Amino acid sequence: MVVLITPTKAKVALAENMRERRLALNLTQAGLSERSGVALATLRKFEQSGAISIDNLFKLMLVVGGLRKIVAASAPDPIKFSSIDDVLSGKTRPKRKRGSRS
């Protein structure tokens, strides 16, 4: 089943998840701000709107957990072979196209 999510909905979901993680650790916004090095105003804005830089998101995730999962989720899918001939021929990756220099 394919579930489509918009960037806006993803930001809101990330903010809600961060708030839930923070509360599960019994941290106040000020406490998480202090531990992560993310400004309190930035954290508040994030929890309200979902807007945050990737650097600050990573700092928060380092404190509340889940940073490794974000990195793992961004890994490329494993290469799938269409036949045994592909495996035997060593065609594990498509050839990269090189740009031309002018």
Side-chain angles (χ1 to χ4, degrees):
M1 182 171 120
V2 175
V3 177
L4 300 177
I5 184 168
T6 64
T8 301
K9 287 181 181 179
K11 288 188 330 182
V12 170
L14 280 172
E16 289 173 1
N17 293 344
M18 179 61 64
R19 182 176 183 275
E20 289 176 18
R21 283 176 178 261
R22 176 179 63 76
L23 293 174
L25 293 170
N26 291 322
L27 284 173
T28 62
Q29 286 180 333
L32 179 55
S33 170
E34 186 177 323
R35 288 183 182 203
S36 66
V38 174
L40 181 56
T42 300
L43 176 58
R44 285 184 176 151
K45 182 178 177 183
F46 173 53
E47 286 193 2
Q48 291 173 356
S49 69
I52 194 165
S53 72
I54 196 158
D55 288 336
N56 284 334
L57 176 63
F58 287 173
K59 288 177 184 178
L60 294 172
M61 294 302 289
L62 186 62
V63 174
V64 301
L67 185 56
R68 284 182 187 242
K69 289 181 180 180
I70 289 176
V71 173
S74 68
D77 292 333
I79 298 169
K80 295 181 181 174
F81 299 101
S82 59
S83 70
I84 190 68
D85 293 329
D86 288 346
V87 175
L88 295 174
S89 71
K91 293 181 183 177
T92 57
R93 295 184 192 183
K95 289 189 177 184
R96 291 175 41 187
K97 294 182 181 178
R98 309 265 184 213
S100 62
R101 292 186 181 186
S102 301

